[in-house]
């Protein structure tokens, strides 16, 4: 069994209606990053409508994961803090910035990272320690939830004859679920 992967505790925030069973096409956080997200994006009251009946993006649930991470180290896109790809924001299961589709077409399934090192970061959340946000790719990252079975799903290499992106949860392609950096795992 390979031990080259990193084992990381991650948290996701979303609506109770979200599917937290498969952390795919999702932004997740370490504990400090989750606190920053909740304080500055979700619970913030300044400028919000006092009559609203839900928080930002309907966030009312937090899920905790222990994830094994191993990006394809030979990829030109795995160049952030040695073993991660750049952070890619997801919303409703899809890439927010269409320009990021090239990253996944080139390199396949990736875990991106965004680190906030003091004194840089967000002035609304002063922190003396580093905190992290990760982006976890999944199947068909270019389309929102509910449209993943479309023929328009992104493919490895972006060629019509290649397989659609599977996402990085290894149970789809092998057992045991130990990441090896190949497509789908």
């Amino acid at each position: 069994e390979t031990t080259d992967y990193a084992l990381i505790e991650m948290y996701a925030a979303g609506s109770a209606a979200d599917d937290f069973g498969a952390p795919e096409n999702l932004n997740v956080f370490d504990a400090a990053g989750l606190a920053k997200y909740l304080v500055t994006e979700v619970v913030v009251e300044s400028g919000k409508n006092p009559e609203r009946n839900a928080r930002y993006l309907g966030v009312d649930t937090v899920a905790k994961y222990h994830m094994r991470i191993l990006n394809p180290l030979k990829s030109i896109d795995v160049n952030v803090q040695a073993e991660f790809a750049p952070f890619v924001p997801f919303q409703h299961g899809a890439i927010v910035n269409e320009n990021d589709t090239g990253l996944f077409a080139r390199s396949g399934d990736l875990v991106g990272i965004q680190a906030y090192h003091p004194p840089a970061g967000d002035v609304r959340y002063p922190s003396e320690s580093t905190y992290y946000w990760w982006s976890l790719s999944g199947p068909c990252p270019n389309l929102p939830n509910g449209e993943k079975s479309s023929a328009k799903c992104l493919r490895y290499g972006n060629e019509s004859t290649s397989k659609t992106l599977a996402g990085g949860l290894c149970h789809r392609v092998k057992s045991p679920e130990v990441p090896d950096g190949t497509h789908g795992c």
Side-chain angles (χ1 to χ4, degrees):
E1 178 176 320
T2 182
T3 57
D4 293 338
Y5 60 82
L7 181 61
I8 302 174
E9 184 174 282
M10 300 176 171
Y11 299 85
S15 163
D18 293 339
D19 178 8
F20 288 105
E24 303 172 310
N25 298 323
L26 183 68
N27 301 320
V28 293
F29 319 92
D30 68 355
L34 173 67
K36 186 270 182 206
Y37 176 73
L38 293 174
V39 167
T40 62
E41 304 296 333
V42 177
V43 183
V44 63
E45 297 294 329
S46 178
K48 302 292 182 180
N49 178 354
E51 303 295 320
R52 72 185 186 285
N53 59 9
R55 299 269 182 215
Y56 175 70
L57 295 177
V59 172
D60 60 9
T61 303
V62 172
K64 178 180 174 182
Y65 304 101
H66 288 97
M67 303 289 291
R68 295 176 181 151
I69 307 294
L70 181 63
N71 276 315
L73 297 178
K74 293 181 181 178
S75 167
I76 61 168
D77 295 308
V78 177
N79 60 3
V80 182
Q81 295 194 358
E83 70 251 46
F84 291 97
F87 179 82
V88 174
F90 288 96
Q91 195 167 49
H92 306 295
I95 297 166
V96 172
N97 182 350
E98 192 176 316
N99 293 333
D100 287 331
T101 58
L103 176 87
F104 296 103
R106 258 189 324 274
S107 295
D109 315 297
L110 295 170
V111 175
I113 192 169
Q114 181 168 286
Y116 295 90
H117 301 286
D122 190 327
V123 296
R124 301 171 298 165
Y125 187 76
S127 176
E128 293 182 10
S129 61
T130 301
Y131 54 94
Y132 299 94
W133 292 18
W134 290 278
S135 53
L136 305 176
S137 68
C140 198
N142 57 314
L143 297 177
N145 295 332
E147 297 179 28
K148 301 289 184 185
S149 61
S150 169
K152 296 178 184 175
C153 282
L154 193 62
R155 298 177 174 278
Y156 294 110
N158 214 16
E159 298 173 14
S160 61
T161 57
S162 61
K163 293 182 179 180
T164 60
L165 262 70
L169 292 179
C170 297
H171 70 272
R172 288 196 188 92
V173 295
K174 65 180 229 148
S175 181
E177 299 173 20
V178 177
D180 61 12
T182 60
H183 290 323
C185 192

